[in-house]
């Protein structure tokens, strides 16, 4: 086998361990430039399964496809797969779709869910689904189509305080960091595996009707994309400190440095969306795809709270620079993101980002998972997303007995 001409840089295991230890003590603290980041240690240990090449080249390339070709010639999928053989994680923080018990307990052949109160649940999730175990599942916002539903679903709207036997089950959804049950639901849906039904953010239904053009040309003058419109003080502070160290564009309301909210369209006319009045987020994916990196900072640093901010960037082919869930690696493909918490300072992170940006082979390696099919737990994270929620919820309702479920 031909080995890569560059040294492969394995720094995850010690750093990850140090990060875990530190995070135990700083679970709810958001990293700030002054917080004690774990020290990045360079090591040649080979027990690890991830991390990217040490950037070496000084070539501020723009063409992504030719970067891929260079990586193919120097490294290649076979070597990447060998180096990233990913252990199936039996204690993964993602619910098993099969529930371990096969189809036992799925007693109903058809379940209907009426979406009764909502703020963001997308209309086009409405469908009649064919699920596993011979179950069909009607998910609808129409009281005409589901006049006698087995369950009522509420999102950001309180369910009725009382349920009598024979009434539909009450389902409550809260995917926010707070994950707060209403107190009146029979079934709770949150982002965490401990909730009755889990819904990760790794789903296509979180972004509808947008422009999905993906640019093959990356900017080499401005490296980092950021957009945020809830200017939370901690997030803003971290973003400001980091962005001051790297050439960037900020498109949202917070720290906007491009001259307004719709500037992405002047910069990238191909990102317009003919058929709808545009919000700046309608061209978010397309705009992001012009940058080598996208900064993604969660509003809370919580176990398993990995949101669309990260998945949008992966979907758009922009490498996320991530600050958030300590267990983020359980939700993303191997070698797909730059985890800010693994650097000893923002300066060190910034110089790493700049070095990767100038090395087509090191940069292309962040896209290898998609091109070589090395997914780790990412397949599971996607399979447990909003996209598959209807079938998974209907199955849960069926196991409970639908309207015939007992009352508490
Ligand atoms: C497996 O999952 C557990 C729980 O989230 C985590 O602590 C551990 O680091 C994971 N192991 C691997 C190899 O990813
Ligand atoms: C960016 O890329 C272009 C086209 O490949 C190249 O001509 C230019 O020198 C690069 N810019 C920088 C800052 O090196």
């Amino acid at each position: 086998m031909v080995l890569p001409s560059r040294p492969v840089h394995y720094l995850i295991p010690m750093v990850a361990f140090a990060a875990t230890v530190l995070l135990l003590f700083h679970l709810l603290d958001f990293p700030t430039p002054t917080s004690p980041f774990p020290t990045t240690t360079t090591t040649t240990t080979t027990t690890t399964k991830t991390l990217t090449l040490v950037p070496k080249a000084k070539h501020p390339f723009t063409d992504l496809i030719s970067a891929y070709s260079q990586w193919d010639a120097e490294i290649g999928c076979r070597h990447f797969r060998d180096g990233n053989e990913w252990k199936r994680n039996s204690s993964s923080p993602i619910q098993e779709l099969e529930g371990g018990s096969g189809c036992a307990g799925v007693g109903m052949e058809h379940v209907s869910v009426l979406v009764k109160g909502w703020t963001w649940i997308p209309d086009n999730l409405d469908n009649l689904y064919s699920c596993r175990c011979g179950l069909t599942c009607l998910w609808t916002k129409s009281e005409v189509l589901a006049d006698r539903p087995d369950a009522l679903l509420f999102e950001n709207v309180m369910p009725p305080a009382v349920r009598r036997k024979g009434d539909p089950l009450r389902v409550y959804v809260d995917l926010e960091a707070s994950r707060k049950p209403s107190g009146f639901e029979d079934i709770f849906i949150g982002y965490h595996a401990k909730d009755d039904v889990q819904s990760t953010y790794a789903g296509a239904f979180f972004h509808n009707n947008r422009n999905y053009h993906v640019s093959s040309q990356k900017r080499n003058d401005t490296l980092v994309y950021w957009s945020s419109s809830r200017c939370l003080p901690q997030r803003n502070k971290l973003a400001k400190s980091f962005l001051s160290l790297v050439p960037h564009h900020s498109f949202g309301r917070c720290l906007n440095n491009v001259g307004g909210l719709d500037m992405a369209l002047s910069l990238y006319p191909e990102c317009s969306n003919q058929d709808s009045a545009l919000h700046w987020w309608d061209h978010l994916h397309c705009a992001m795809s012009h940058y080598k990196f996208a900064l993604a900072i969660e509003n809370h640093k919580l176990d398993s709270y990995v949101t669309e901010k990260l998945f949008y960037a992966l979907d758009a082919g922009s490498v996320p620079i991530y600050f958030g869930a300590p267990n983020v690696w359980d939700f993303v493909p191997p070698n797909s993101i730059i985890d800010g918490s693994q650097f000893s300072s923002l300066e060190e992170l910034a110089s790493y980002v700049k070095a990767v940006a100038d090395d087509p082979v090191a940069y292309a390696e962040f896209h290898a998972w998609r091109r070589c099919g090395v997914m780790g737990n990412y397949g599971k994270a996607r399979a447990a997303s909003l996209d598959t929620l209807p079938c998974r919820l209907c199955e849960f309702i069926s196991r409970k007995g639908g309207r015939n479920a007992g009352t508490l």
Side-chain angles (χ1 to χ4, degrees), residues 76-155:
C77 282
R78 187 204 241 184
H79 180 75
F80 182 76
R81 277 195 293 264
D82 289 349
N84 286 283
E85 182 206 330
W86 193 260
K87 274 184 283 197
R88 288 249 165 246
N89 194 341
S90 51
S91 60
S92 131
I94 301 169
Q95 285 179 356
E96 289 296 333
L97 298 188
E98 290 78 23
S101 51
C103 293
V106 180
M108 301 163 68
E109 287 180 353
H110 180 71
V111 168
S112 59
V113 175
L114 176 62
V115 180
K116 183 82 177 160
W118 71 90
T119 60
W120 57 261
I121 303 267
D123 290 351
N124 55 351
L125 204 53
D126 276 28
N127 205 345
L128 175 63
Y129 296 86
S130 295
C131 311
R132 48 179 229 112
C133 304
L135 181 69
T136 52
C137 171
L138 177 68
W139 171 290
T140 180
K141 288 179 173 172
S142 162
E143 306 203 2
V144 177
L145 299 180
D147 65 307
R148 233 184 140 266
D150 298 292
L152 302 173
L153 184 133
F154 301 86
E155 174 263 307

Side-chain angles (χ1 to χ4, degrees), residues 1-4 8 10 48-53 71-72 74-86 329 333-337 361-376:
M1 186 169 98
V2 181
L3 287 171
V8 178
Y10 295 104
T48 180
K49 298 297 175 203
T50 59
L51 214 63
T52 199
L53 297 165
W71 184 86
D72 289 344
E74 290 193 30
I75 312 289
C77 282
R78 187 204 241 184
H79 180 75
F80 182 76
R81 277 195 293 264
D82 289 349
N84 286 283
E85 182 206 330
W86 193 260
W329 286 104
N335 208 60
S336 60
I337 70 167
V361 176
Y363 183 76
E365 183 134 316
F366 282 96
H367 296 272
W369 62 272
R370 190 189 294 111
R371 303 179 59 245
C372 306
V374 181
M375 298 290 158

Side-chain angles (χ1 to χ4, degrees), residues 216-236:
S216 68
Q217 298 299 312
K218 299 279 187 188
R219 297 187 71 115
N220 62 0
D221 53 351
T222 308
L223 302 182
V224 179
Y225 171 100
W226 195 52
S227 60
S228 174
S229 282
R230 272 181 73 206
C231 312
L232 304 173
Q234 276 179 312
R235 175 160 56 201
N236 247 31

